[in-house]
């Protein structure tokens, strides 16, 4: 049985013909990862949009949701979870609070601090969007058997680990 060809196979063949002096083998992996990332980004944006959320809103709401009950974090913890600046996070919290998805309350442990928590509406919205996202991601992976998904996850983890330290 002949292996299916994709756009990357055509791209690699063209580069091999045009630049035989270069080893273009990294394109076999990294161009596919890049193309998959674009498809994943589209699927994610569609899932978020279907629930009236922007990607940044989803990031903040899921950080709060993953924190567990009572679904609240300090702005500093949200900064670490979402990798944005303090000014950006303040703006995001303001906008989510105006939309009724989060609320602020004084931090009982720190008189100067505040805690940001999900409202019931925020919890319902993030849960619905996350459920939709997971359904779409299962579809994206449906061409792979479970053991292939596990192997791919391990290989990608090995590749990504140095960037995450």
């Amino acid at each position: 049985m002949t292996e299916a060809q994709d756009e990357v196979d055509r791209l690699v063949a063209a580069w091999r013909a045009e630049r035989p002096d270069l080893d273009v083998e990294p394109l076999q992996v990294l161009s596919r990862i890049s193309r998959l990332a674009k498809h994943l980004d589209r699927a994610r944006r569609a899932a978020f949009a279907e629930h009236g959320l922007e990607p940044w809103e989803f990031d903040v709401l899921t950080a709060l949701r993953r924190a567990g009950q009572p679904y609240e974090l300090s702005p500093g913890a949200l900064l670490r979870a979402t990798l944005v600046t303090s000014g950006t996070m303040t703006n995001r919290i303001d906008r989510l609070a105006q939309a009724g998805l989060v609320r602020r309350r004084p931090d009982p442990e720190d008189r100067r601090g505040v805690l940001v928590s999900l409202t019931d509406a925020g919890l319902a919205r993030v849960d619905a969007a996350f459920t939709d996202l997971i359904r779409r991601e299962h579809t994206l992976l449906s061409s792979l058997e479970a053991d292939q998904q596990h192997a791919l996850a391990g290989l990608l983890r090995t590749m990504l680990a140095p960037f995450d330290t």
Side-chain angles (χ1 to χ4, degrees):
M1 186 162 101
T2 305
E3 202 172 279
Q5 287 211 329
D6 65 5
E7 186 60 31
V8 174
D9 290 318
R10 290 181 280 283
L11 178 139
V12 169
W15 277 118
R16 283 184 175 146
E18 291 298 314
R19 291 295 309 268
D21 58 308
L22 289 178
D23 176 7
V24 296
E25 198 60 25
L27 296 175
Q28 295 280 8
V29 174
L30 300 176
S31 289
R32 285 185 174 94
I33 290 172
S34 177
R35 292 176 68 79
L36 282 168
K38 289 175 185 171
H39 289 291
L40 176 58
D41 186 56
R42 280 191 212 119
R44 291 177 142 230
R45 287 179 180 278
F48 305 155
E50 205 164 291
H51 299 279
L53 294 173
E54 292 291 331
W56 67 265
E57 292 171 310
F58 183 82
D59 288 346
V60 174
L61 296 175
T62 55
L64 291 165
R65 180 65 169 96
R66 287 190 313 268
Q69 287 189 332
Y71 311 119
E72 68 182 7
L73 293 169
S74 69
L78 283 169
L79 283 173
R80 290 185 294 281
T82 59
L83 303 174
V84 297
T85 65
S86 176
T88 298
M89 182 53 66
T90 298
N91 183 329
R92 289 179 177 186
I93 293 168
D94 288 346
R95 290 172 65 185
L96 288 166
Q98 287 173 343
L101 301 175
V102 302
R103 71 177 148 268
R104 288 182 176 98
R105 72 177 184 89
D107 185 342
E109 307 290 318
D110 178 0
R111 287 186 13 201
R112 295 172 296 156
V114 298
L115 293 172
V116 179
S117 59
L118 285 175
T119 62
D120 290 342
L123 179 62
R125 180 98 52 100
V126 73
D127 277 354
F130 186 66
T131 299
D132 192 16
L133 173 65
I134 293 300
R135 179 187 55 77
R136 290 169 191 259
E137 290 185 353
H138 275 286
T139 300
L140 284 171
L141 291 170
S142 65
S143 64
L144 298 176
E145 299 293 330
D147 61 329
Q148 292 173 312
Q149 290 181 34
H150 183 75
L152 180 58
L155 292 169
L156 292 171
R157 182 181 305 107
T158 299
M159 258 187 97
L160 283 172
F163 294 101
D164 289 343
T165 56

